[in-house]
Amino acid sequence: MKRKVVCFLAAAALAALLTACGAPKLTALSLPEETLELPVGETAVLQPECTYDREVSEHTETEITFTSSDETVVTVDGTGTVTGVAEGEAVVTAASGDVTAGQTVRVVIPVESIAADAVSLHTGDEALDLAYTVTPEDFSGELTFSMADSTVAEYRDGQIVPVGEGQTELTITAPNGVNAVVPVEVWSGPRELTLNASRTEVTVGKGVQLSAADEEGNSVDLSTLTWTSSDESVAAVTGGWVDVVGTGSATITATTPHGVTGSIELTGVRPVQTTSNSSAASGGSSASGGSASGGTSSGSTPPSGTHSDVPLGTGHGYFAVETSGTAFDLQNQLRAQVGAGALTWDDSLAAIACTRCEQIALDFSHNGAQTAENIAVGYADASSVIAAWQASPGHYANMTHAGYTRGAIAHMYDSDGCSYWVAVFA
């Protein structure tokens, strides 16, 4: 097919001079060297550049013919408009007389859509293979990949490589302009989360402090976690502190800002109850403690001004005995302040502490002690008894002794407000 095509160039010479010298002669045609990618069914216009042996006016016309080397792949009309017919390659040639130029046209199957899920990587992760879906699957041509912020992540040979904490986007673009924008997040913090408690059986009406650790055993800031309880009629959690409000089991779950979770199951139990026909009277009596040395405390005399104020052998009737994780946690906080390791709750020691509560109600002394211990009477809550022990050098030495690794605390009380406390160490 033939048609006259106008090649426009700036005319710098006078028309009279052009007329005198004869018609300008075409010396070369040129088309882009790079291959033109064209989706099946779409079109593009080729615009060859003309070179003459002299400057010409803007109205100079040159007759150019366009042909395709394979019309089953590409067709071209007299205007230089090429149309993709089927996947493959063909050369489109522009000719004027014996002056020619050609350009390769690659016809591709067009991309209709690209889909990819958001990418989330830890700063310590290895490179991740990028997963994406292109429709149709047998598309042709090449996709391009562009990362918006290379200080967060890089795209390398089909993989996402984490660089630094932050958020960015990866854009996947098809030859026909169809694209997908993939959110990329690189984060730091725990990749695994483990929850721990000093005990998992908690008396109704009491509470327990949870702790959290990452995959390397490092402590995790509890305030950065989101906390939930599977059954708030059993246990309610706030910032890692769990109040047990009913019997039964509840799973406490903590979640990091990046979706890493850890769980622990707690059981609410009723207070263990026992009857006593003889016990010490309630009142504002102080604490009594044993030695800070290893082994079992002997029946030492309580500090001056405490034991003598406690009338022994008076009846208060019905008592409840229970372990006290709250006091135990407060005690471990004191140990942390002096660099001593936290005590591990020991159920066998807890049984001893409960028994000793009943014993000191009848004989407020260290007679019958099976291990190192602190005892107290008259303190209504955990914080006040720990404060009393902290103020007494002997009791404080027991609580912060670096040689102890296990322990338990029990509390016995009745409806009249009489309270007995025993802390044991091993």
Side-chain angles (χ1 to χ4, degrees):
M1 303 177 69
K2 297 182 179 180
R3 187 177 185 273
K4 291 183 178 179
V5 177
V6 178
C7 298
F8 298 94
L9 296 174
L14 296 175
L17 180 61
L18 291 174
T19 302
C21 297
K25 180 180 179 181
L26 179 70
T27 58
L29 287 173
S30 62
L31 286 167
E33 293 182 0
E34 62 270 16
T35 297
L36 171 65
E37 282 198 352
L38 188 66
V40 172
E42 295 192 13
T43 61
V45 177
L46 302 186
Q47 295 180 325
E49 293 184 358
C50 301
T51 302
Y52 298 87
D53 62 353
R54 68 190 70 178
E55 295 185 359
V56 296
S57 74
E58 60 182 2
H59 302 296
T60 300
E61 296 183 354
T62 300
E63 184 178 13
I64 297 178
T65 300
F66 293 94
T67 57
S68 169
S69 64
D70 189 345
E71 291 193 344
T72 65
V73 175
V74 176
T75 61
V76 60
D77 65 14
T79 67
T81 300
V82 294
T83 302
V85 177
E87 186 177 17
E89 285 188 359
V91 176
V92 174
T93 301
S96 179
D98 59 355
V99 179
T100 63
Q103 183 175 9
T104 299
V105 179
R106 180 184 298 120
V107 180
V108 298
I109 297 174
V111 172
E112 297 174 7
S113 65
I114 304 173
D117 293 332
V119 174
S120 180
L121 286 169
H122 191 274
T123 51
D125 285 343
E126 299 293 331
L128 176 71
D129 289 336
L130 177 64
Y132 58 90
T133 302
V134 181
T135 304
E137 293 183 356
D138 60 346
F139 76 96
S140 54
E142 299 292 333
L143 301 176
T144 59
F145 301 83
S146 176
M147 191 71 73
D149 188 348
S150 60
T151 66
V152 175
E154 294 180 352
Y155 177 82
R156 302 178 193 165
D157 300 324
Q159 294 184 315
I160 305 295
V161 181
V163 177
E165 187 172 1
Q167 296 179 333
T168 185
E169 292 178 336
L170 173 70
T171 301
I172 308 173
T173 306
N176 60 340
V178 173
N179 67 66
V181 178
V182 184
V184 177
E185 179 184 33
V186 178
W187 54 279
S188 61
R191 284 186 278 190
E192 298 178 10
L193 192 64
T194 301
L195 301 185
N196 298 294
S198 58
R199 64 199 186 285
T200 56
E201 289 190 355
V202 185
T203 303
V204 174
K206 300 295 181 178
V208 64
Q209 179 66 57
L210 302 183
S211 62
D214 63 15
E215 64 278 7
E216 296 180 353
N218 300 315
S219 295
V220 176
D221 186 350
L222 303 185
S223 65
T224 65
L225 305 175
T226 300
W227 297 88
T228 59
S229 170
S230 65
D231 190 344
E232 293 194 346
S233 68
V234 174
V237 58
T238 303
W241 173 261
V242 181
D243 288 304
V244 175
V245 296
T247 58
S249 296
T251 299
I252 305 301
T253 300
T255 306
T256 72
H258 301 288
V260 178
T261 63
S263 298
I264 188 171
E265 185 176 282
L266 301 179
T267 302
V269 296
R270 296 187 183 279
V272 177
Q273 295 183 332
T274 182
T275 58
S276 176
N277 295 321
S278 179
S279 65
S282 62
S285 300
S286 300
S288 175
S291 169
S293 62
T296 301
S297 298
S298 63
S300 59
T301 302
S304 175
T306 59
H307 185 272
S308 60
D309 293 338
V310 181
L312 301 178
T314 59
H316 280 261
Y318 195 80
F319 280 83
V321 182
E322 63 183 22
T323 55
S324 178
T326 302
F328 192 78
D329 292 338
L330 292 173
Q331 181 174 256
N332 271 336
Q333 291 176 19
L334 292 180
R335 293 177 65 83
Q337 292 173 9
V338 299
L343 295 179
T344 300
W345 182 272
D346 189 305
D347 287 338
S348 63
L349 291 178
I352 292 173
C354 289
T355 299
R356 289 290 295 135
C357 277
E358 299 178 28
Q359 292 173 347
I360 66 172
L362 300 175
D363 177 15
F364 190 79
S365 73
H366 292 292
N367 295 329
Q370 301 177 48
T371 183
E373 66 177 23
N374 284 348
I375 62 175
V377 63
Y379 296 93
D381 56 48
S383 59
S384 60
V385 73
I386 292 297
W389 283 336
Q390 183 181 6
S392 169
H395 303 84
Y396 182 70
N398 264 354
M399 290 194 295
T400 58
H401 196 302
Y404 298 146
T405 59
R406 298 176 294 118
I409 297 179
H411 176 209
M412 186 173 79
Y413 57 92
D414 70 358
S415 60
D416 293 335
C418 187
S419 293
Y420 294 90
W421 297 83
V422 175
V424 293
F425 311 88

